[in-house]
Amino acid sequence: MLTTGPAKKVTIYVSQDHLYHGESLYAAILDFLFYRKIAGATVTRGVAGFGADHHMHTDRRAMFTENLPMKIEFVEAADKIKEILPKLHEMVGSGLIEIQDTTIVKSAGSDPKTTALIANESVPSLKRQSKAKLMRIYVGENDKWHGKPLHTALLESMRANDIAGVTVYRGILGYGANRRIHAETALHLSHDVPILLSAIDTEEKLRAYIPVLDDMLQQGLVVFSDVDIIKYTHDFEGAERRKEPRS
Amino acid sequence: MKLEGKAKMLRIHFGEDDKWHGKPLYRAIVEKCRELDIAGATVLRGIEGYGASTLIRRTHLLSFSHDAPVMVSVIDSEDKIQKLLSILDEMVGEGLIAVSEVEVIKYVHQGGVRSE
C-alpha cells in the first residue's frame, strides 16, 4: 500500500499496435502491473506523436489509424519499482520508460492489507532441468474473483508471475470440500463444473506464487507433485515474429 | 475435513460409456467417493485417446456416439485411498488406475455447506 512521502512515478511510452506474445503490449503491461499488486496504473492514448523512429503517428487523416502513442503511468514505492523493472524492460522493447521522483501528498484507498511480494527475479526459469513441480489447482467454474471468473484471473496472474505454462481443464462432474456435486447436465451446459488448472515450473517459482494464491483462493484445493521435465521447447523465432506489429 | 501435507492422488482412466449397474461408471465412482467421505473427486473428459484394448476413442460432434476417454482424479490421505482402491477393483472392469504422491499446499472451503 502506498503511503504518503517520497515515491517514484514511472511513465512508459509504447505504440498502440505493439504486441507482446500476441496480445497488445499496453494491455499486457497493465495486466502485469495489476497482478504484481502495483498500487494503480493509468493508460492514456495520445492523439498524435512520434517516437524514436521519427515516424509521425496521427489520426489527423480521416482514415482509421491504430498506431497511436500509448502512455502508461503509475506511482509506486522505489523498492517495488526496482523489483518489477527488469521484466518491464523486457516487455517494453522499443518503447521508452521514464522514472521520476515524486511525493505522495495523499494516498488513495484505505485498504490496509499488505501486499504479497513476489521476488522472483532471482529465481531461475524452467529450462531443461530434469526436476520440476506440477501444481494442480481445483476450483469451481462459478467461482469469481473481483467479478471475473476465478480460473481466468488465476491464469492471468500466473502469466504475470512468469509461470512457465498453464493449462485449464473443464471437468464434467465432481465435488469438493463443501460436498456439493458439480455436474454438467444433459440439456443445458451447467456453469458450475469443476475446473482444473495445471502448471509446471521450478519449485521456487511455484512456491513464490503461493502468497498470491492465498489471496485469490477462498475455496479450492492446491496440490504439488514431482515431475521430470523431458522436453521443454520454445519457438523463439515464432515469438520474435509475434512481437512485431502486424502489417 | 482436514487435508494437508503428504497425500495420495488416484487417477482412474476409462471410457465415458462404461457402466456400473446401469449408470455411468464415472458417476458411480463419484457417488462412491462421497459415500466414503473422500475429500473430493473430479471427472475430466478427454477429446481423444485409446486404452488397453487399443480402440481409438473420439468424441463426434455430429453423431451422438461418445465414448470419449474420461479420467476421475481423487486426492485424499493414503488410508482413504486404499479403502477406495479395494472397491474400485470390482467396479472398474476395463481401465487403468494409477496412484501418485502429492503434497497438499492448500485445501480451503467456506464451512457449513454439507448438503446432499
Side-chain angles (χ1 to χ4, degrees):
Chain A
M1 202 61 213
L2 275 182
T3 47
T4 51
K8 298 275 184 197
K9 177 175 179 171
V10 181
T11 314
I12 301 170
Y13 298 88
V14 295
S15 177
Q16 191 181 356
D17 65 359
H18 277 178
L19 296 180
Y20 181 74
H21 294 302
E23 169 185 22
S24 87
L25 175 60
Y26 73 87
I29 293 174
L30 198 64
D31 263 357
F32 172 72
L33 299 175
F34 182 75
Y35 287 109
R36 284 298 182 97
K37 302 262 166 113
I38 296 300
T42 309
V43 182
T44 42
R45 180 167 58 201
V47 290
F50 65 89
D53 59 353
H54 246 260
H55 188 93
M56 186 68 83
H57 306 295
T58 173
D59 62 355
R60 236 179 311 185
R61 276 153 289 171
M63 67 185 192
F64 183 69
T65 160
E66 283 192 334
N67 203 10
L68 292 168
M70 304 292 285
K71 184 166 81 169
I72 304 150
E73 284 171 303
F74 62 95
V75 177
E76 248 308 344
D79 50 339
K80 185 101 190 199
I81 301 277
K82 209 173 149 196
E83 186 190 306
I84 62 164
L85 207 55
K87 179 69 180 174
L88 277 180
H89 210 279
E90 184 237 309
M91 292 177 87
V92 169
S94 64
L96 178 82
I97 306 178
E98 176 207 351
I99 299 181
Q100 47 184 266
D101 291 316
T102 186
T103 307
I104 298 172
V105 179
K106 181 204 163 293
S107 67
S110 58
D111 188 5
K113 252 193 202 167
T114 50
T115 54
L117 295 182
I118 312 132
N120 68 355
E121 298 314 331
S122 57
V123 174
S125 62
L126 186 69
K127 281 288 175 305
R128 236 179 285 160
Q129 294 157 323
S130 56
K131 292 276 175 233
K133 284 277 179 189
L134 164 63
M135 173 169 72
R136 290 191 184 88
I137 306 172
Y138 294 85
V139 294
E141 195 177 18
N142 260 351
D143 295 351
K144 292 273 190 291
W145 188 76
H146 290 214
K148 72 162 80 177
L150 176 62
H151 56 94
T152 314
L154 285 171
L155 182 87
E156 285 171 0
S157 81
M158 282 193 245
R159 193 175 185 213
N161 283 293
D162 273 331
I163 305 284
V166 184
T167 310
V168 183
Y169 299 93
R170 189 171 184 272
I172 54 174
L173 177 70
Y175 74 90
N178 65 11
R179 299 183 60 81
R180 199 181 304 142
I181 290 258
H182 305 290
E184 188 188 67
T185 48
L187 290 176
H188 58 96
L189 283 175
S190 157
H191 290 294
D192 198 21
V193 294
I195 297 282
L196 163 65
L197 287 96
S198 90
I200 296 175
D201 209 321
T202 57
E203 178 158 12
E204 299 98 297
K205 280 277 266 306
L206 292 176
R207 293 220 181 262
Y209 178 69
I210 294 176
V212 183
L213 268 181
D214 282 335
D215 230 36
M216 295 176 77
L217 211 70
Q218 256 70 58
Q219 187 157 318
L221 170 70
V222 182
V223 294
F224 278 16
S225 47
D226 290 310
V227 288
D228 292 331
I229 302 292
I230 305 298
K231 195 175 158 79
Y232 178 66
T233 51
H234 179 67
D235 177 13
F236 287 101
E237 272 180 33
E240 285 307 310
R241 228 182 302 122
R242 283 192 291 275
K243 264 188 203 168
E244 287 166 15
R246 255 175 280 182
S247 53
Chain B
M1 195 174 316
K2 256 176 92 175
L3 189 60
E4 54 186 23
K6 291 260 170 277
K8 291 279 179 191
M9 175 183 223
L10 183 67
R11 272 172 288 185
I12 314 147
H13 299 259
F14 50 91
E16 194 177 3
D17 280 354
D18 292 354
K19 294 278 192 291
W20 167 252
H21 292 309
K23 70 168 92 171
L25 179 58
Y26 63 84
R27 190 170 291 271
I29 292 176
V30 170
E31 282 166 9
K32 185 56 77 181
C33 289
R34 282 226 311 167
E35 224 177 282
L36 291 175
D37 220 31
I38 289 207
T42 305
V43 184
L44 300 163
R45 183 198 287 134
I47 52 172
E48 203 170 324
Y50 72 88
S53 60
T54 62
L55 186 82
I56 293 272
R57 292 178 162 139
R58 205 186 296 248
T59 47
H60 294 276
L61 265 185
L62 294 175
S63 66
F64 271 95
S65 138
H66 279 302
D67 210 26
V70 293
M71 191 257 280
V72 185
S73 90
V74 181
I75 296 171
D76 211 322
S77 60
E78 176 152 22
D79 51 321
K80 282 280 194 54
I81 294 291
Q82 285 302 338
K83 216 155 106 193
L84 178 63
L85 267 175
S86 55
I87 296 163
L88 282 178
D89 208 28
E90 186 199 340
M91 292 175 84
V92 183
E94 194 189 332
L96 174 79
I97 302 176
V99 186
S100 54
E101 287 264 340
V102 289
E103 183 192 349
V104 177
I105 302 296
K106 207 170 157 66
Y107 178 61
V108 283
H109 55 102
Q110 284 145 354
V113 197
R114 280 177 76 101
S115 58
E116 281 306 302

